[in-house]
Structures are given as structure tokens and as C-alpha cells.
Amino acid sequence: MKRRAEARPRGFFLVVEGADASGKTTLARRLAIAYRQQGWTVTSVREPGGTRLSESVRRILLDPKALVNPRSELFLYLAARAQLVGDVINPALRRGEFVIADRFSLSTLAYQVGGRGLPARAVMAADRLARAELNPDLTILLTVTEGQSRLRRQENPCPPDRIEREPASFFRAVRAEYLKLSRRMSGLIVVDSSIGADDVYVCATEHIDRRLKRRRPSSWIRH
């Protein structure tokens, strides 16, 4: 009698969030390196991006010359997310991989609801459809003050993209929305990025490892 193959456990979906210049991209890259070294198969993605279509959308959204109204902006972001979830994230999770995303749905709520003023209920419904109701196992939200964000952006040698050219009031609204959302969301931890990149990394790994330990079955073998 042929032995039935053991089902592979679902992977782990981590999202690193935060306003511009919060240090989220640096943290996401560092975590990907660390967990690969521990033996995990890690799939790193960014939003918008990660597929051919999504990267094309990214170029439009960040182009300083592009004239994109708030509703069009929302649906461009969600089109990129739908493609990424269907083509990359869900298949990787089904393979049991560790997926690390630089931004996900929380960014849409912070930027499109908080920053652009679109109706929250409608944005949440559209986002739920785009992500096929996929939820992260853990979200790490890095906070940054207005002054810190401004200094970090000034240190960036690259010219500002379309979003980075928004006025200070826009980013103030985005940060406020992030904090409001963090107070009512489960599966989310808030880390003050002003403590420094090394301490942020240590804090993040402590929370990730605790979450992995709680949900990892004994048969979950690293690759």
C-alpha cells in the first residue's frame, strides 16, 4: 500500500510596514538574509512590484510626471497587489516558504484613506478583493517622526519620486492613520525606528521567532 504523502504546512507571511523613510526596506532585507541563513526558503517581495505587471504599475505610480488621481492611484496599487498575491505570495505560502513583504494592505489604508481621504469602508472592501482575503501572520509597523523622516529623505541621493514629493501635511496624515490602525489591529507590533537599525532588527526577530514557535508544527522542516 502506497504511503500517503504528508501535507506541507502553510508558510509564514510577514509584512514590514511604515511611512516613507521609516527604515522598513532596510529591515525587510536584513530579515530575509537572516532567515535564509537559518535555513528557511525566503521569498522577498515589495509593493507595488514583484511581477512584470506590478513592476510596470510601480513605474507609473512613482513617476513624478504622472498625473494620477486618488481613485486611479488606489486601483493601480490594488491591481499590482492582486497580481502579486496570485502569482507569487500564495504559491510561495503553499510551498511552505517564508514570505517577507515590504508593504501590503496597511499601506493602502494609511496612504489612500489617511493621505488621500478616500472612504475607508470602500477602500477596505476593494483591498480585501485584491488580496483574496489573505492576511499576514505578523505585521511589523515601524514608526518615524516627521523630523526623522525629513532628515532621512534629505540624505537619500536619489531624486524624490511622485509620492515623496507630497507635502508634509500628507505624510503627517499618513503617520496618523498608521497609528490609528495599529490600535485596533491584531497580529501587529509597533516598533519605534528611532532606537536604531540594530535594535529594531533585534526587536523584530524576537517577535517573529515567538510567532514562529507558536504556530510551527513539529513536522515543519526548514529547507
Side-chain angles (χ1 to χ4, degrees):
M1 185 175 178
K2 190 177 290 186
R3 186 178 177 181
R4 185 178 179 182
E6 187 173 339
R8 184 187 297 274
R10 177 187 178 276
F12 188 83
F13 184 24
L14 170 72
V15 174
V16 182
E17 281 281 4
D20 287 63
S22 62
K24 61 179 180 50
T25 299
T26 298
L27 176 61
R29 289 173 179 167
R30 192 168 178 181
L31 291 172
I33 292 170
Y35 284 95
R36 284 192 184 104
Q37 290 174 344
Q38 291 183 27
W40 295 97
T41 298
V42 176
T43 294
S44 295
V45 296
R46 67 176 181 176
E47 282 216 340
T51 71
R52 185 174 179 180
L53 182 147
S54 304
E55 291 292 338
S56 296
V57 170
R58 182 184 184 89
R59 287 191 289 273
I60 295 170
L61 286 165
L62 300 186
D63 183 357
K65 297 179 181 179
L67 300 176
V68 185
N69 70 46
R71 287 169 305 187
S72 296
E73 183 181 72
L74 168 66
F75 286 109
L76 284 168
Y77 276 118
L78 294 184
R81 177 167 304 144
Q83 199 75 24
L84 182 65
V85 168
D87 290 1
V88 180
I89 297 178
N90 272 336
L93 292 174
R94 286 194 293 268
R95 294 192 297 267
E97 296 178 9
F98 193 138
V99 178
I100 301 177
D102 181 345
R103 295 197 185 282
F104 198 59
S105 293
L106 199 61
S107 282
T108 299
L109 297 177
Y111 281 78
Q112 273 61 63
V113 175
R116 302 299 188 202
L118 294 178
R121 186 172 296 181
V123 172
M124 292 173 69
D127 170 65
R128 191 161 52 246
L129 179 63
R131 60 182 164 84
E133 302 197 16
L134 171 67
N135 291 310
D137 293 292
L138 177 65
T139 298
I140 299 173
L141 171 61
L142 300 186
T143 61
V144 61
T145 66
E146 184 174 343
Q148 291 167 342
S149 177
R150 183 173 58 253
L151 286 173
R152 291 174 184 178
R153 289 201 303 271
Q154 289 172 350
E155 293 169 356
N156 187 352
C158 300
D161 60 38
R162 189 181 66 88
I163 304 300
E164 291 169 340
R165 291 169 185 254
E166 292 291 340
S169 58
F170 173 82
F171 293 105
R172 205 173 295 130
V174 168
R175 286 191 295 273
E177 190 70 19
Y178 266 128
L179 291 177
K180 184 174 77 173
L181 291 165
S182 71
R183 289 191 286 268
R184 63 175 191 249
M185 285 187 66
S186 60
L188 180 146
I189 63 163
V190 179
V191 180
D192 180 359
S193 69
S194 68
I195 64 177
D198 289 342
D199 287 339
V200 166
Y201 168 77
V202 170
C203 181
T205 54
E206 288 175 351
H207 283 281
I208 294 166
D209 291 344
R210 280 200 293 270
R211 191 61 60 96
L212 285 171
K213 187 175 181 180
R214 285 205 303 268
R215 70 180 297 273
R216 185 190 304 145
S218 58
S219 60
W220 192 342
I221 301 173
R222 300 182 210 178
H223 302 280

